[in-house]
Amino acid sequence: MPDFLWVEVLDRATPEESLAIGCQAERLGAPVYAAAAFEKALAHEEHRTEALLWLGRTKRLLGADAAAKDAFREVIGTGGPAHRSGAALLLGDVLEKEGDISGAEEAWRVAARSGDDTQKPVALFQLGMMRVRRTVVDEETEDLFREVAASGHTVLAPRAWAMVAGLCEARGDLPGALLAWERAAEWDQPDVAALMRTTLPDLHARMEKLAEVHDGASVARSPEDLLEQGDRLRDLGDWAGALAAYRAAAGSAEPDVRARALLGTAWILRWENRTGEACEAFEAAADCGVARWAGEALLQLGVIRNEEGDLAGARQAWSRGVATDAAQDADIAALDLGLLELRLGDADAARRAFLRALETSSARIRAKAALNLARMAEDDGAAVEDVDDWYRTALDTGDPEYATDAAFELAGRLVGRGLRAEPKRLLEGLIDSGDPDAAARAVVRLAMLHDCDGDVRRAAALYRRAIELGHPDHSTEAHVYLGQLCFRTYRDDAACWHLRNALDAGHPEHSPEAGLLLAQIREGTGDLDAAELLLRQLAQTGHPTVAPRAGELLADLLARRGRTGTAVRRRGPGAGVPGAVEEGAPGGR
């Protein structure tokens, strides 16, 4: 439906009619007009709670998470049980996305307390999955899935049994895992059945091997045999049996056997979240004096100390780990030490650590170290050629992540100096790299480069190519830039089409940018109602730059409403031209 028709329908609709109109607008992919309809529907007291719930969902689609949370919280405070549970489920999703784990957990617990037989299992399953994503795989997590499994929910119960099976298997309870799979099979759900076909043969094989290992465990064994038994039990998932075998082997007088047994002990304690005991075992393994195993032990000890916020302890462990020269473990310790020194503000120590990490044979470690050295040199104002050389060092490793970041950043530096041939080669190489994320990003950057150079035809073709890739970030970005290009070349209909696509995508960054230009185009063509509606929605997104600007434009528009005259439009080279070809990439530091 054309925008002007949505505006006319909303203008004529009563608050009671607006709820249905909003639902229809959302179904047709017009979230801006859906949100406006739901806001109007709030005036109808009988449907206010329903309208608030829909408004929160739509605001979330538009990236206005703050407004969405406000709507959901009002429903939780005033709605009946079903609405309260539905709003709490959606609020939990928003809060987890924002990293508010405790807030998400509380929201899902509210949903579980308020929900019916359908909503409660959904809330508990979401809560369990969040804990699994955070690697909190304790008894409480398993109990959550068991409660979902017992609920009889036709979709989630078999999936919950599958999660219980996985948790049992992870802690070495293979019979418990088998029983959970048997319960999951009772539901005959296709995706769970497919997972069982790939999982059960391995589970049965592990159970047979585990029985063989236990059958031979009663025979008196040497420390070397105990160490081998510990390794086999660990690989089969019997952590308790493996831990007992490792601890027995750790009594060996042979430093190599003792160090390996202590490492095995430390790893299992780490997996069981017994962090203090794990640190003691890693320390003891390092003290055995075998460089190969000391490097691994000190690397992991540093990781734990860093996770706990003990930065001095992490620095000490990684420094000792580097000194062992233990193949790749020492190289990783050097890289981690460099990153830590950066956080602590000691640039010289960080540089020394990164230079040490460059001695590795690992492409990934070498690429990340070189990339950080490049950025440090750039921050220090080093010679242009020296900085470029560090980026090329990272690029030459061929690492899929950090060499890619180096290529983008080097291309941006070269473009900033007015060069074109090498940046284009770098971007074209990324397009052909086989990495879909890098390819989509590179197509957009190459299009921006041609756009800045005034090659409109080539830029438009590349933007369209990026759109066709269907990338969740860069295709939306391409819609925005192609919309800007169409606007500058006086093709308003095409500009609005691309900008509406970008707006409706719900991207947190690019959608508000698209909406702002679309509102300005609507205002410039005299469609003031549509412009006002868009600006009102954008002002509520909370976007750091778009929301304040939308508020300013809305205030100006409201001040001019009712006056005659034509709005002035800014066109030509200065309007809507993409900025720098490459912004700073986040990887590495």
Side-chain angles (χ1 to χ4, degrees):
M1 184 186 293
D3 289 354
F4 75 89
L5 285 181
W6 281 119
V7 174
E8 186 172 344
V9 167
L10 287 172
D11 186 52
R12 293 172 179 270
T14 65
E16 185 176 3
E17 296 167 335
S18 295
L19 180 61
I21 292 170
C23 294
Q24 182 76 347
E26 185 170 282
R27 187 180 68 81
L28 293 174
V32 169
Y33 300 105
F38 294 136
E39 285 174 342
K40 190 169 186 178
L42 296 178
H44 185 62
E45 199 60 37
E46 182 181 346
H47 294 154
R48 179 177 174 82
T49 299
E50 187 78 14
L52 272 170
L53 190 56
W54 279 99
L55 178 62
R57 290 175 50 172
T58 308
K59 289 293 188 181
R60 189 180 171 204
L61 285 175
L62 291 169
D65 285 351
K69 289 187 293 185
D70 289 343
F72 294 144
R73 284 177 172 135
E74 184 173 341
V75 174
I76 292 169
T78 62
H83 285 122
R84 186 160 61 244
S85 181
L89 278 169
L90 294 167
L91 178 61
D93 290 340
V94 176
L95 293 174
E96 187 191 15
K97 185 186 79 172
E98 293 179 344
D100 183 357
I101 302 304
S102 61
E105 181 172 345
E106 175 57 28
W108 283 325
R109 292 194 185 279
V110 169
R113 289 194 297 269
S114 307
D116 56 22
D117 291 343
T118 300
Q119 293 170 316
K120 181 178 180 179
V122 174
L124 294 174
F125 193 83
Q126 289 284 75
L127 188 53
M129 290 303 298
M130 181 179 72
R131 292 172 70 87
V132 169
R133 285 191 289 271
R134 295 175 55 227
T135 66
V136 182
V137 288
D138 55 9
E139 185 177 347
E140 183 180 349
T141 302
E142 186 174 325
D143 287 344
L144 287 168
F145 288 119
R146 286 189 180 277
E147 188 171 352
V148 177
S151 71
H153 192 288
T154 54
V155 175
L156 295 180
R159 294 180 182 177
W161 278 122
M163 293 301 300
V164 171
L167 292 171
C168 287
E169 190 172 354
R171 59 181 170 80
D173 181 8
L174 303 191
L178 185 60
L179 179 61
W181 279 122
E182 289 173 355
R183 296 297 304 273
E186 295 172 4
W187 293 85
D188 195 26
Q189 191 179 83
D191 57 343
V192 174
L195 185 59
M196 288 178 65
R197 285 194 293 271
T198 60
T199 302
L200 283 180
D202 179 63
L203 179 59
H204 284 298
R206 287 178 62 194
M207 292 180 71
E208 291 174 5
K209 291 178 181 177
L210 192 59
E212 293 175 6
V213 175
H214 281 298
D215 286 344
S218 58
V219 180
R221 291 177 175 271
S222 67
E224 290 82 357
D225 291 337
L226 288 166
L227 183 60
E228 182 182 352
Q229 180 184 325
D231 290 344
R232 293 184 66 190
L233 291 171
R234 177 202 61 203
D235 294 342
L236 291 168
D238 183 0
W239 289 3
L243 188 57
Y246 284 138
R247 282 178 162 159
S252 172
E254 173 60 40
D256 186 81
V257 174
R258 175 173 166 76
R260 290 166 61 195
L262 286 166
L263 270 176
T265 300
W267 275 112
I268 290 178
L269 292 169
R270 175 102 159 100
W271 295 333
E272 292 182 340
N273 293 317
R274 296 159 66 179
T275 306
E277 295 175 77
C279 287
E280 291 176 4
F282 280 129
E283 285 271 19
D287 291 342
C288 289
V290 183
R292 177 183 177 186
W293 308 120
E296 179 181 345
L298 292 166
L299 172 62
Q300 297 306 320
L301 181 61
V303 170
I304 294 174
R305 297 299 189 207
N306 186 53
E307 289 173 353
E308 293 177 332
D310 179 5
L311 302 188
R315 172 191 266 169
Q316 182 184 45
W318 283 332
S319 297
R320 290 173 60 197
V322 172
T324 66
D325 281 328
Q328 198 166 99
D329 288 319
D331 302 336
I332 298 172
L335 179 62
D336 287 345
L337 181 61
L339 295 171
L340 177 61
E341 297 292 6
L342 271 183
R343 288 168 57 196
L344 295 173
D346 191 338
D348 290 339
R351 190 174 292 106
R352 288 194 299 271
F354 289 137
L355 288 170
R356 165 61 185 82
L358 281 177
E359 298 172 12
T360 184
S361 59
S362 164
R364 185 170 182 79
I365 297 171
R366 185 173 173 80
K368 191 169 183 179
L371 187 59
N372 276 280
L373 285 166
R375 291 169 177 168
M376 291 180 69
E378 190 170 3
D379 291 344
D380 291 343
V384 168
E385 296 79 7
D386 293 341
V387 178
D388 289 351
D389 284 346
W390 281 125
Y391 279 117
R392 289 192 174 95
T393 298
L395 182 61
D396 290 344
T397 66
D399 177 71
E401 180 178 355
Y402 298 110
T404 296
D405 287 345
F408 278 115
E409 294 184 36
L410 179 58
R413 286 175 53 80
L414 297 171
V415 167
R417 302 206 295 270
L419 303 175
R420 289 295 184 267
E422 187 176 359
K424 288 180 180 179
R425 283 197 303 273
L426 288 168
L427 294 172
E428 287 164 356
L430 290 165
I431 292 170
D432 297 331
S433 66
D435 179 344
D437 290 334
R441 181 180 174 193
V443 171
V444 175
R445 296 299 176 268
L446 188 58
M448 292 168 67
L449 184 53
H450 285 286
D451 202 351
C452 289
D453 287 346
D455 187 351
V456 173
R457 187 182 298 275
R458 177 63 175 151
L462 286 165
Y463 286 136
R464 285 191 292 270
R465 180 177 173 184
I467 290 167
E468 290 167 1
L469 292 174
H471 191 276
D473 296 319
H474 303 301
S475 294
T476 303
E477 183 183 25
H479 269 302
V480 177
Y481 286 135
L482 187 51
Q484 293 175 350
L485 186 152
C486 291
F487 174 65
R488 297 197 313 273
T489 54
Y490 298 90
R491 291 178 291 156
D492 285 353
D493 288 344
C496 290
W497 187 87
H498 286 292
L499 294 170
R500 271 299 301 272
N501 271 279
L503 176 63
D504 293 344
H507 192 280
E509 186 65 31
H510 304 310
S511 294
E513 294 172 355
L516 191 62
L517 180 55
L518 181 59
Q520 291 171 292
I521 294 175
R522 293 300 185 204
E523 182 181 357
T525 56
D527 191 352
L528 303 185
D529 289 334
E532 181 180 335
L533 190 151
L534 278 165
L535 291 171
R536 287 187 185 279
Q537 299 299 329
L538 293 167
Q540 297 175 21
T541 61
H543 189 282
T545 56
V546 171
R549 180 60 178 150
E552 294 171 1
L553 293 172
L554 178 60
D556 292 343
L557 175 60
L558 292 175
R560 292 198 304 272
R561 291 302 302 263
R563 296 182 182 178
T564 58
T566 304
V568 176
R569 307 181 65 192
R570 184 166 178 251
R571 299 231 193 219
V577 178
V581 168
E582 182 54 36
E583 68 281 0
R589 284 199 188 174

